[in-house]
Amino acid sequence: MSIRNFVSVRDVVRDVVRAIVSAMSIQLRSQRLSAWAWGVVALVLALLFVLVWGLNMRRGLNHDEHQFVASGALIAREGLLPYRDFPYFHVPALSFLYALLFRATDYLLLAARSFSILCSWLTLVLIFGAALAWLRHQPAWWRVAIGAATVVLLMTTPSFLHASGRAWNHDFPILLTLLAAVGQVSWLKRVQRTADSPRRLLWWPLVAGVLVGLAASARLTFVVAGVAFVLSAFLVLPWRTRQAWFAGGLFCAGGILGALPALYMLGVAPAQFVFGNLRYAQLNTAYYQQAVAGSGASGAAMTLGGKLASTAEYIVTQPGNLLLVLLAGYGLWRARRHLRHAAELLFLLLLVPCFLVGAYAPTPIQLQYIYLLFPLLALIFLAALVYDARPRLSAGLVATAALISAILAVPRYVEGLQVAFVPPEWFPLKVHARGEYLGDLVGQGPVLTLAPTYPLEGHTPIYPEFVTGVLGWRVAPLLTPDERRQVGLVALDELAADLAVRPPRGILTGLDDSDAEEEAPLLAYVQAQGYVPIPL
């Protein structure tokens, strides 16, 4: 590209930004439209819900979702408990919540996905609300436009498209943690403004602790976020005062209350709990190291440097992700002179390394682990915008970024819209129909499978050893027989003997091509026992 062409592109982008800023300036000066603003907000949020719903009604089933759905079903239907009665590789709060849902419906995946969709949508609502509240010194329509553009930019990032709305433990703890973070921002501002004793404001750290503790009971790595909450109290309260330490103590007390689901299971099955939340992660890393060594593939994502490089690549090569990162960086640069005194902005920045520590703790890193970074960046941009002396330029930039990102994400959301109002095309309902068909085929006998959601949808029993699907089957050979018995896993060596005592009425395979290698021993058993193949 020539220098002249480069200048032309730059001028075009500049003119587009100026046009958007001018249009917003003309429309947003009128305060008479503020009565209509809430109607627009409601319409925008309803549209966002439909888009997120359609996206997740169309997408297939990820094998990481099985253990959350299957564990909730066993808790609800058979009164079994994770760790004690079946293996489980996360903290248990989400499974208990799913169990409550499954007491009211037999549509397991639909209920679980619906809950995650609700959480991801409420995260968008929360960020929209933050824009309306934090920018309240601006005209109403200006706040609505900024909030809408920010959430559109967030929901069209590849990270949101990949990770939101699935039946796994990301949306729920993210919502809780961001809710606590938005409340903490308000608390920090109020403490800074309060001239008298801030004792009457100290109830909030307890609530924030409960929220973060409950988030950590759904995904353990979120416990690191608590460091930022505790340290932020010392940004507005002198560290020598009782109030500062009392606030930190109340947050910790709230964290313990929120973590009661996990602490209860730690007391019920301590050895199995430690295995599921700590030892399994080590074995999973060992499994991937063996897989990488055997295939000769690159193991870049296995080291800290490789994880950082993978994150950078994921951001730089995905325009939607990159735009949000650049926008947050631009907002911070605009607010740089106020950083020293902006306690709420320093708190949000402190959350970033805390979240990254949690994201990089598992090995290898997965794309969904850094999902939380992007809604946090959206909050950072909005918090920095408060200190921007020329916010209309930032408004034009976020509107332009949202437009570009939305154009790139249109195909994914259009595909979702095609099924959003057509229940027979919803993938969770197709899974339920397959489960019912499977139940008709095998009757009351157990089904052996690495995809336990399917038989459970048809009220068909499964083997508790396979609640975690392919995840436990992978690491079982890395344990001794005694260790496997203690944590409820079974390896190939014991499988034939166990099945001779408890023969399966059916063996379900072939639903996920990525699990074909792990299913090979099951297929060998099928052939040896003379089972009749029936396609679903």
Side-chain angles (χ1 to χ4, degrees):
M1 179 182 292
S2 66
I3 295 178
R4 178 176 297 176
N5 289 337
F6 178 80
V7 173
S8 299
V9 172
R10 183 189 63 186
D11 292 341
V12 169
V13 172
R14 182 182 60 192
D15 291 341
V16 170
V17 172
R18 285 179 175 175
I20 294 174
V21 171
S22 299
M24 293 178 64
S25 299
I26 293 173
Q27 295 178 1
L28 302 180
R29 286 178 186 145
S30 175
Q31 292 300 308
R32 292 177 297 176
L33 295 177
S34 60
W36 289 88
W38 291 111
V40 173
V41 169
L43 182 62
V44 170
L45 293 178
L47 176 60
L48 297 185
F49 183 84
V50 171
L51 291 174
V52 177
W53 177 269
L55 176 71
N56 288 283
M57 288 300 103
R58 185 180 182 91
R59 74 163 95 239
L61 185 60
N62 184 284
H63 63 203
D64 285 348
E65 297 178 87
H66 286 299
Q67 72 167 317
F68 301 107
V69 175
S71 60
L74 292 188
I75 295 171
R77 294 174 178 176
E78 302 181 31
L80 303 182
L81 287 177
Y83 314 112
R84 187 192 70 182
D85 301 316
F86 55 84
Y88 191 69
F89 300 149
H90 283 284
V91 275
L94 189 61
S95 291
F96 289 140
L97 284 172
Y98 282 173
L100 292 176
L101 294 176
F102 298 162
R103 294 295 296 270
T105 179
D106 291 330
Y107 290 83
L108 306 182
L109 184 60
L110 179 63
R113 285 262 181 101
S114 298
F115 180 77
S116 290
I117 290 169
L118 178 63
C119 289
S120 63
W121 177 72
L122 288 176
T123 297
L124 299 175
V125 173
L126 178 66
I127 293 173
F128 207 140
L132 298 178
W134 295 351
L135 304 173
R136 57 182 174 271
H137 60 285
Q138 299 291 343
W141 276 98
W142 196 90
R143 287 181 283 159
V144 171
I146 288 293
T150 303
V151 297
V152 167
L153 177 56
L154 171 60
M155 70 177 295
T156 53
T157 60
S159 177
F160 188 94
L161 290 169
H162 170 72
S164 67
R166 298 183 189 265
W168 55 18
N169 61 344
H170 292 283
D171 289 301
F172 177 59
I174 285 175
L175 172 63
L176 293 177
T177 307
L178 292 180
L179 181 60
V182 171
Q184 188 78 355
V185 166
S186 176
W187 180 77
L188 291 170
K189 288 183 176 181
R190 290 182 63 188
V191 171
Q192 281 185 311
R193 292 195 304 263
T194 302
D196 57 354
S197 172
R199 290 181 181 177
R200 62 188 180 88
L201 302 176
L202 290 181
W203 61 270
W204 168 254
L206 180 67
V207 176
V210 172
L211 293 172
V212 175
L214 186 56
S217 289
R219 186 167 183 86
L220 187 59
T221 54
F222 279 67
V223 72
V224 187
V227 175
F229 283 85
V230 172
L231 292 180
S232 67
F234 297 97
L235 296 174
V236 293
L237 296 171
W239 71 273
R240 293 177 181 272
T241 61
R242 288 183 178 179
Q243 288 88 347
W245 292 97
F246 189 55
L250 282 176
F251 177 85
C252 295
I256 293 174
L257 290 175
L260 284 178
L263 294 176
Y264 171 74
M265 291 312 307
L266 174 61
V268 170
Q272 295 89 332
F273 181 93
V274 171
F275 173 85
N277 289 283
L278 298 177
R279 180 81 189 285
Y280 165 75
Q282 299 173 346
L283 294 174
N284 191 53
T285 300
Y287 165 80
Y288 275 102
Q289 288 172 337
Q290 291 181 0
V292 168
S295 64
S298 171
M302 308 293 290
T303 64
L304 178 59
K307 293 176 182 179
L308 291 170
S310 297
T311 303
E313 180 181 5
Y314 184 50
I315 292 174
V316 172
T317 60
Q318 301 290 333
N321 292 338
L322 180 61
L323 286 170
L324 185 51
V325 172
L326 292 177
L327 192 68
Y330 173 78
L332 289 171
W333 181 77
R334 298 284 296 171
R336 63 192 183 279
R337 296 180 180 177
H338 303 275
L339 282 178
R340 179 176 299 180
H341 306 291
E344 75 282 2
L345 199 49
L346 291 175
F347 159 67
L348 292 175
L349 288 174
L350 186 57
L351 277 175
V352 173
C354 292
F355 286 140
L356 289 179
V357 168
Y360 291 155
T363 300
I365 190 171
Q366 305 288 342
L367 297 180
Q368 59 268 24
Y369 295 169
I370 60 173
Y371 168 31
L372 176 59
L373 176 64
F374 295 94
L376 178 59
L377 289 175
L379 287 179
I380 289 174
F381 167 73
L382 293 174
L385 192 58
V386 175
Y387 298 95
D388 193 341
R390 293 187 298 170
R392 296 192 185 278
L393 178 59
S394 297
L397 289 174
V398 68
T400 304
L403 178 61
I404 295 172
S405 185
I407 291 173
L408 295 174
V410 160
R412 294 288 303 277
Y413 281 114
V414 167
E415 291 176 350
L417 279 176
Q418 293 173 353
V419 305
F421 301 103
V422 188
E425 294 298 320
W426 295 352
F427 187 80
L429 292 185
K430 293 181 179 180
V431 171
H432 185 78
R434 289 180 178 181
E436 290 185 325
Y437 177 55
L438 182 63
D440 293 338
L441 289 174
V442 302
Q444 297 300 314
V447 170
L448 176 64
T449 181
L450 300 181
T453 299
Y454 286 90
L456 289 170
E457 288 278 2
H459 264 279
T460 304
I462 64 168
Y463 291 85
E465 296 90 338
F466 289 89
V467 164
T468 59
V470 69
L471 304 179
W473 184 243
R474 285 173 175 175
V475 303
L478 304 178
L479 298 168
T480 66
D482 289 340
E483 290 173 329
R484 287 195 289 268
R485 279 192 293 272
Q486 183 183 39
V487 299
L489 292 175
V490 61
L492 181 60
D493 294 342
E494 299 106 351
L495 182 61
D498 286 351
L499 295 183
V501 178
R502 300 177 298 164
R505 290 279 297 172
I507 301 176
L508 181 63
T509 62
L511 295 169
D512 192 331
D513 293 339
S514 64
D515 298 336
E517 182 178 351
E518 286 80 8
E519 287 181 340
L522 304 185
L523 292 174
Y525 178 83
V526 165
Q527 295 169 355
Q529 298 298 319
Y531 280 78
V532 177
I534 300 177
L536 292 181

